[in-house]
Amino acid sequence: MATIPVIVKHQGKRYDVDLDPTSTGETFKYQLYSLTGVEPERQKILVKGGQLKDDTDLASLKAKSGQTFMMMGTPATGDGAVTIERPKDKIMFLEDMTAAEAAKVEGALPAGLQNLGNTCYLNSTLQTLRSVPELQAQLAKYSTPSSDSSTSGVDLSQFGLGGMGSSMDLTASLRDLYKQMSETQEGFPPLVFLTALRELFPQFAQRSRTGQGYAQQDAEEAWSQIISQLRQKLKIKDSTAKGTGVVTQQPHEISFIDKYLAGGFETTTECDDQSAREAGEEIVKGEDVFLKLDCHINKDTNHLRDGILAGLEEKIEKTSPVLGREAVYTKKSRIARLPKYLTVHFVRFFWKREAQKKAKIMRKVTFPPELDVVEFCTENLKKQLVPVRDKVREIRKDEEDVTRARKRQKTAHKHVEDRQAELKAQGRMDTTITGQDHKDDRKVDVDTEMTDVTYKTDVEYEAERATSIIAAKKELFSLIDPELAEDDGANKSGVYELRGIVTHQGASADSGHYTSYVKKQGILDPKTGKRKEEDGKWWWFNDDKVSEVEAEKIETLSGGGESHSALILLYRAIELPTAEEVREGGNEEQ
């Protein structure tokens, strides 16, 4: 698209500028920086509807040849001179980077994993677990005497082989694998980790029935065994008393998994036999730890909620001490602690005796991008979660209402401007159009001066929005239960967002193909250290092939046939304001 010659006025001077409709406001500001010496962040360029933003598509301005723009702002030095400083960091071009440097660039394609012979079950599991940033950070700190793994003084960890050794430490192997994956965009062979897994759990070393290579395995079993090993090996220092959230004087060592991926149940077990209750057998109360919630699937299961509810109640058979014989008991579980990361397992595989293999339940079971689990919790935990959850919903509704109102105002404003331009072209310059005018243009009396409507600019709206966000964060933070606030590994609202999925394609666990989907993170802002808003897209990991897919693809993974269906879901607690954010907001207001 050809450039458009426009005029920019600044401090009494006129500048001829070629505006490129295919670029953004940020590019235009840099053009003016080269002419005026005013830094882009100090420029205020007035356009129709407010100020020009960095991300504005210049084509949307519909600029015409010779159009004049007004610019305000002065250079940081104040005297019009521009001080150009040498960049603090050396500028690196992508073609000059090493593979490791290119892999660390924001937005770079993540590494895939090579299929080493029916190992897609493992690849999909490892990619989904890698989406937990806290796990990667803690693994980087992990070390054991056996993980030094030096041969003739050579550190093998730099080659991704730090887990090699007599003990074949699975946690060390995972640490080194993730490090190696972070330094490449190619498909990486997880050979050392696979060897360690097969040594610890021989089931994954089973040969195929044909005798050609290794057999396909169940991704859920791989997930569970890896989690169990990490639970034993990966320890962190924690200052809260277990299960209470109360801060203790001396930090103690706990499992990383227990803190971030394990929840707690309160259970009741009662005999179904009326005669046992009449004879005085009491309900047995207990506590259990869970590493995942099971979604049981039967003919009535249509949604994830149905399956989770079914999984929280089970029938067990055991000896009744009162009756002196076997009896059926009902065990009911309610969640007493919610972890920050919640794993949900669709129980799709069952042992089919006549076929001597794990068959797959094909039924379609939908799952939400955001999961509310408050109804599965104990009454005590509900009291802690509900105020926060309801406030989150209220804030979201208010934001939606403001956005809709802003769109209506912009539409009305545009109509008024268009109408004024039309009247001006007709020579009726003395007419003022109001925001109500667009409802019936025929009511406009061109000889009557009417009261004008004041419209807020984008800058004014953003300022109001920023103020309201600070106030909402303060109010929301004040509602977080103090006990839960101390437990940074717990969910404090009862609401989760979907972050990762392991899928299976095929008719049985012993065949077919596994892949995984991981939601893309927002780009990290180097200035603030915080991530920007996410674009809603996902990475699809199909062994060593990695591609980007739209959110709509996730909706097709509910099952209903042999196509890809979700087997494991990884949810993360929605983000809530921290004490630090609330303090920063207070400082900004001052």
Side-chain angles (χ1 to χ4, degrees):
M1 188 179 293
T3 59
I4 303 170
V6 298
I7 299 169
V8 176
K9 290 185 177 181
H10 175 247
Q11 293 185 344
K13 296 183 180 180
R14 291 163 53 96
Y15 297 93
D16 294 320
V17 184
D18 290 329
L19 184 147
D20 183 0
T22 63
S23 61
T24 63
E26 185 178 27
T27 302
F28 190 55
K29 287 182 179 181
Y30 273 102
Q31 285 180 265
L32 298 179
Y33 175 39
S34 66
L35 294 171
T36 65
V38 180
E39 296 84 349
E41 64 271 15
R42 296 176 64 83
Q43 295 177 18
K44 290 184 179 179
I45 303 170
L46 304 182
V47 296
K48 190 175 181 180
Q51 292 184 25
L52 181 67
K53 292 185 176 182
D54 288 349
D55 58 356
T56 298
D57 184 353
L58 293 185
S60 66
L61 300 181
K62 298 179 180 178
K64 298 179 180 178
S65 179
Q67 183 173 339
T68 300
F69 292 91
M70 293 295 296
M71 173 183 145
M72 295 183 290
T74 58
T77 54
D79 57 1
V82 182
T83 302
I84 302 178
E85 298 180 354
R86 182 184 295 274
K88 295 180 180 179
D89 299 320
K90 182 181 178 181
I91 298 175
M92 293 285 290
F93 296 96
L94 196 60
E95 56 268 24
D96 298 326
M97 293 181 180
T98 64
E101 289 170 338
K104 295 182 186 300
V105 172
E106 282 295 331
L109 193 75
L113 289 169
Q114 295 178 21
N115 192 319
L116 302 178
N118 281 336
T119 58
C120 56
Y121 71 92
L122 179 61
N123 293 346
S124 57
T125 296
L126 293 173
Q127 292 285 15
T128 307
L129 281 174
R130 190 170 178 242
S131 69
V132 180
E134 294 90 343
L135 175 59
Q136 289 203 58
Q138 195 59 39
L139 281 170
K141 302 175 185 177
Y142 176 78
S143 63
T144 62
S146 61
S147 67
D148 293 335
S149 301
S150 57
T151 303
S152 301
V154 178
D155 181 11
L156 297 180
S157 64
Q158 62 181 312
F159 305 111
L161 305 177
M164 293 186 70
S166 58
S167 66
M168 294 301 292
D169 188 333
L170 194 74
T171 304
S173 297
L174 185 61
R175 173 201 63 200
D176 297 332
L177 173 61
Y178 283 166
K179 179 177 182 295
Q180 192 74 17
M181 290 173 67
S182 71
E183 297 173 348
T184 183
Q185 292 178 275
E186 304 296 327
F188 186 78
L191 181 60
V192 175
F193 184 85
L194 178 62
T195 303
L197 181 71
R198 286 173 173 168
E199 183 173 292
L200 276 172
F201 305 105
Q203 69 192 80
F204 298 109
Q206 291 175 354
R207 310 294 293 188
S208 68
R209 293 182 179 180
T210 62
Q212 301 294 319
Y214 291 94
Q216 178 68 285
Q217 300 289 337
D218 186 344
E220 188 277 327
E221 291 181 3
W223 178 288
S224 296
Q225 297 291 24
I226 292 170
I227 290 293
S228 70
Q229 272 296 296
L230 292 175
R231 191 181 183 206
Q232 294 177 37
K233 297 282 188 176
L234 196 59
K235 305 293 183 179
I236 57 176
K237 296 290 184 182
D238 189 64
S239 58
T240 57
K242 184 178 180 181
T244 67
V246 179
V247 177
T248 59
Q249 294 294 325
Q250 289 293 332
H252 55 285
E253 197 174 68
I254 67 167
S255 164
F256 172 89
I257 297 298
D258 284 345
K259 185 174 181 67
Y260 288 102
L261 283 93
F265 280 138
E266 286 185 4
T267 64
T268 59
T269 305
E270 182 178 14
C271 186
D272 292 355
D273 196 316
Q274 181 67 27
S275 58
R277 295 196 293 272
E278 291 174 351
E281 185 167 340
E282 297 181 351
I283 297 174
V284 178
K285 296 182 179 180
E287 295 180 353
D288 286 334
V289 174
F290 69 87
L291 300 175
K292 58 182 172 61
L293 292 181
D294 285 329
C295 174
H296 291 272
I297 303 174
N298 55 40
K299 61 182 179 63
D300 299 318
T301 308
N302 296 309
H303 189 268
L304 181 65
R305 173 187 175 275
D306 306 329
I308 292 177
L309 274 176
L312 293 177
E313 185 171 316
E314 61 178 320
K315 297 291 184 180
I316 56 177
E317 191 172 334
K318 64 175 186 174
T319 301
S320 167
V322 172
L323 300 177
R325 57 175 172 80
E326 292 291 300
V328 177
Y329 288 76
T330 298
K331 182 180 180 180
K332 297 180 180 180
S333 302
R334 285 294 177 265
I335 300 172
R337 180 189 184 268
L338 285 170
K340 183 173 182 177
Y341 291 89
L342 179 68
T343 303
V344 181
H345 169 222
F346 287 97
V347 187
R348 287 194 175 275
F349 299 130
F350 67 98
W351 183 252
K352 200 168 185 179
R353 186 177 301 174
E354 57 272 22
Q356 287 294 295
K357 67 176 183 180
K358 281 186 177 180
K360 182 178 179 181
I361 301 173
M362 304 291 188
R363 185 177 181 82
K364 180 178 180 179
V365 181
T366 60
F367 54 91
E370 189 170 274
L371 179 65
D372 181 349
V373 296
V374 171
E375 66 172 308
F376 310 133
C377 299
T378 62
E379 291 302 318
N380 183 54
L381 186 55
K382 284 181 183 178
K383 292 176 183 177
Q384 296 173 314
L385 299 174
V386 168
V388 180
R389 181 200 64 181
D390 291 351
K391 189 61 184 178
V392 168
R393 290 176 175 174
E394 181 185 324
I395 291 172
R396 288 177 176 176
K397 183 179 182 302
D398 290 345
E399 288 179 347
E400 290 173 0
D401 290 343
V402 169
T403 301
R404 281 195 292 266
R406 176 60 175 152
K407 287 181 179 178
R408 287 196 298 269
Q409 193 231 33
K410 281 190 171 184
T411 302
H413 191 190
K414 185 178 184 304
H415 179 87
V416 170
E417 289 184 330
D418 291 346
R419 184 69 173 129
Q420 286 176 336
E422 180 185 338
L423 293 174
K424 187 181 290 186
Q426 296 172 2
R428 294 184 284 179
M429 303 288 291
D430 58 338
T431 303
T432 301
I433 309 298
T434 70
Q436 299 296 321
D437 235 17
H438 67 280
K439 292 182 179 178
D440 190 348
D441 291 341
R442 291 171 299 178
K443 294 181 181 179
V444 177
D445 183 351
V446 298
D447 297 322
T448 303
E449 183 78 13
M450 290 188 283
T451 304
D452 200 1
V453 177
T454 302
Y455 292 99
K456 294 178 183 178
T457 65
D458 287 341
V459 174
E460 290 172 327
Y461 257 99
E462 287 302 318
E464 288 185 3
R465 182 174 179 272
T467 302
S468 65
I469 287 175
I470 291 172
K473 282 184 176 180
K474 284 184 177 180
E475 188 174 0
L476 187 55
F477 181 76
S478 68
L479 293 173
I480 299 176
D481 185 271
E483 182 180 313
L484 291 179
E486 295 293 344
D487 186 355
D488 57 359
N491 184 324
K492 303 167 181 61
S493 68
V495 182
Y496 288 92
E497 58 173 331
L498 187 61
R499 301 303 301 185
I501 309 170
V502 175
T503 67
H504 178 265
Q505 179 185 36
S508 74
D510 302 328
S511 61
H513 184 57
Y514 291 92
T515 67
S516 62
Y517 293 80
V518 172
K519 194 169 188 182
K520 290 179 61 181
Q521 290 184 307
I523 295 176
L524 187 67
D525 188 332
K527 294 181 179 179
T528 63
K530 297 179 180 179
R531 292 195 176 274
K532 296 181 180 179
E533 189 174 348
E534 297 177 346
D535 61 11
K537 296 180 180 180
W538 292 66
W539 292 121
W540 181 27
F541 295 96
N542 184 3
D543 288 330
D544 57 340
K545 301 179 186 66
V546 182
S547 56
E548 187 181 78
V549 298
E550 300 292 336
E552 289 75 20
K553 176 64 177 177
I554 305 303
E555 298 172 6
T556 68
L557 305 176
S558 299
E562 291 190 21
S563 61
H564 280 288
S565 55
L567 180 70
I568 298 173
L569 304 177
L570 181 64
Y571 282 96
R572 183 182 70 189
I574 61 169
E575 291 188 357
L576 296 175
T578 63
E580 183 181 357
E581 288 177 330
V582 171
R583 284 194 298 270
E584 289 177 356
N587 293 335
E588 289 177 12
E589 286 184 318
Q590 295 172 6

